[in-house]
Each structure stands twice: as C-alpha cells, then as structure tokens.
Amino acid sequence: MIRQKDRIAKGAEAIIYRGSFLQTPIILKHRLPKIYRLPQIDKTIRLQRLRAEARIMVLAWKIGAHVPVLLGIDFANRTLLMEEIQGELLFFIMNTAPLTKMKSIFKDIGQEVGLLHKNDITHGDLTVFNVVINKENKPWLIDFGLGQVSVEREKKADDLLTFYSTLKAISPDFQDLFDLFKHGYFGMYKKGRKTFEHMKKIQSRARYIAREDRLE
Ligand SMILES: Nc1ncnc2c1ncn2[C@@H]1O[C@H](COP(=O)(O)OP(=O)(O)OP(=O)(O)O)[C@@H](O)[C@H]1O
Ligand SMILES: [Mg+2]
C-alpha cells in the first residue's frame, strides 16, 4: 500500500512528496508538465526523462553505488517511487558540521563519483543539493534526471566541474575539500586523473572565452 504524505520540495522539473510503502519511508518524484510545450510533445519528453532517470538509478544501484533503490514507476502519472535516504542535504551539512567531519565525507563522495565514472555513468547535475548525507555520515547521490551512460571524458569532466563550482560558491574551504574529493575519486578510478586534467582544460577554455568577451 502506497501512501502519499507531505510535499517536501518543488524543483524546476519535479515535485517531491514523502510517503510510505509497506511502512518504509519513500519518495515520490512527480515530473511536472511544462505549459510552454505542446501537450503531446510534453508528455513524450517527460516520459523519456522518467525512463532515463529510472534506468540510470538502476544501473548505478547494480554496480553498488550509494543511490536510492528504485521501487516503482507510475508511467501514467510520470512519477518515480524510490527509497527515501534519511539524512540531510550536503548543502545544509556544510553550514553546520565541523571541517574534520566534512573531510571524510568529501573523500567518500569522491569514491562514489569515481565508482559511477569507472562504470561510464555520469550524474549530469552534481551539485551540493543532490547529495544526501545519511545518519552514518555516508554520502548518497540523488537526482539522476540528467544522468547518462557515456564513455566521453568531457561528460565526466563536467560532473567534476559542476561539483567544484558549487563548492567554490559556498565554502571558503573549497580547495581543501575538493582535494579530498579528488583523493577519493582517484583512489576508486585510476583514469580519473585524466578526467581531472580535462576539467582543467574546460576551465581554461571558459576563462579564455570570458577574456575574449571583455575585449569586445
Ligand atoms: N531519495 C531521496 N531521499 C531523500 N530526499 C530526497 C530524495 N529524492 C529527492 N529528495 C529531496 O527532494 C529534493 C529534490 O529532489 P531532486 O533533486 O530529485 O529533484 P529536482 O532537483 O527537482 O529534480 P530535477 O533536477 O530533475 O528538476 C532533493 O534536494 C532532496 O531534498
Ligand atoms: Mg535536484
């Protein structure tokens, strides 16, 4: 028996409800219609995203990554049912937890992302709002709506850059924390050093473009 309870979040693409399934806490992620799209096209796009997200979650779960277990798909309502990871978003933990606690968390996040990349899975939106830290202080990745299966170094480097950029925006310790993340990432994924080199290339490309813009 599935029960839908309170609404906990509303993002650009989805509304998230908390609920229960056989007494287990679950999350229902309902993809919203976009009014600016033609209804028939909108239905198709939401269905594709729903399928893609479900597929990536299952693939990630199969390789043993810390991701919520997918419990079901309600195609008619464009809704995913998944395990609720009980804990707090990384963003909020970073505001309250001491740096020493953050250090081991960041190394673990690096390992998780390394595991995905080693298996050619990219997250697509690796921000501090898409990592939940559970009660044992272990990181769980959520929100695979933009995830892909890809061998492309550029896509993997994009994950690193997104993570680095959001860290830089919110923490004065971003460099130390990112170094720990890298440590975990390289430990899990030997080719990860190449991904990191590629991330630096993208960064300098962006800096170059910004400079060109200023000259105009
Ligand atoms: N499995 C889960 N366990 C715990 N909390 C979750 C889970 N899934 C989602 N949440 C909560 O709901 C919020 C929004 O979920 P999610 O990131 O999947 O959606 P979104 O950002 O709106 O989606 P999209 O990026 O596709 O628009 C998360 O930041 C988190 O607080
Ligand atoms: Mg999100």
Side-chain angles (χ1 to χ4, degrees):
M1 173 67 186
I2 297 163
R3 279 175 200 283
Q4 184 169 305
K5 296 179 191 155
D6 38 324
R7 185 174 116 173
I8 58 166
K10 183 174 184 300
E13 302 267 330
I15 298 192
I16 312 290
Y17 297 95
R18 193 174 271 136
S20 64
F21 176 57
L22 304 172
Q23 272 122 47
T24 308
I26 60 162
I27 290 287
L28 294 100
K29 180 170 178 176
H30 171 63
R31 260 175 207 287
L32 295 165
K34 296 267 184 200
I35 42 169
Y36 58 80
R37 282 188 205 130
L38 284 174
Q40 203 44 48
I41 294 178
D42 183 62
K43 268 191 184 166
T44 315
I45 292 179
R46 283 194 294 144
L47 200 58
Q48 278 169 355
R49 299 254 167 92
L50 187 81
R51 283 212 175 96
E53 183 165 9
R55 173 169 173 254
I56 298 290
M57 281 178 77
V58 171
L59 288 174
W61 178 79
K62 277 192 188 159
I63 57 162
H66 280 174
V67 298
V69 177
L70 182 71
L71 299 167
I73 310 176
D74 179 350
F75 284 109
N77 294 308
R78 311 288 190 265
T79 302
L80 290 182
L81 274 68
M82 66 185 90
E83 168 195 17
E84 177 180 7
I85 307 303
Q86 307 211 332
E88 245 194 298
L89 285 183
L90 177 63
F91 175 78
F92 294 113
I93 291 259
M94 286 181 68
N95 288 325
T96 51
L99 191 59
T100 43
K101 185 169 150 185
M102 291 319 303
K103 287 186 171 171
S104 77
I105 289 178
F106 271 78
K107 188 166 167 246
D108 289 347
I109 298 174
Q111 278 179 2
E112 285 301 318
V113 178
L115 180 62
L116 292 182
H117 285 186
K118 190 165 128 180
N119 288 279
D120 297 327
I121 299 172
T122 54
H123 183 280
D125 191 20
L126 198 60
T127 72
V128 287
F129 295 100
N130 288 333
V131 181
V132 180
I133 308 303
N134 77 358
K135 303 218 166 72
E136 284 84 44
N137 288 322
K138 292 290 173 200
W140 291 70
L141 303 181
I142 60 164
D143 195 0
F144 284 86
L146 296 171
Q148 285 187 17
V149 174
S150 172
V151 293
E152 277 177 54
R153 192 168 291 150
E154 179 99 4
K155 297 232 166 78
K156 296 179 186 177
D158 261 344
D159 272 351
L160 301 190
L161 190 54
T162 305
F163 194 63
Y164 177 79
S165 308
T166 58
L167 273 192
K168 192 172 171 187
I170 63 163
S171 172
D173 303 309
F174 69 95
Q175 202 58 62
D176 284 352
L177 294 174
F178 193 70
D179 282 348
L180 288 156
F181 168 89
K182 267 170 27 194
H183 188 64
Y185 183 74
F186 296 159
M188 178 58 77
Y189 180 36
K190 295 287 165 281
K191 288 192 205 154
R193 287 185 188 277
K194 294 210 167 118
T195 320
F196 176 65
E197 292 308 318
H198 199 84
M199 170 194 140
K200 289 206 289 196
K201 252 191 236 162
I202 302 176
Q203 269 180 321
S204 54
R205 214 192 288 158
R207 270 196 292 270
Y208 178 75
I209 293 169
R211 212 168 33 232
E212 289 285 288
D213 277 349
R214 277 202 296 275
L215 290 176
E216 277 172 12

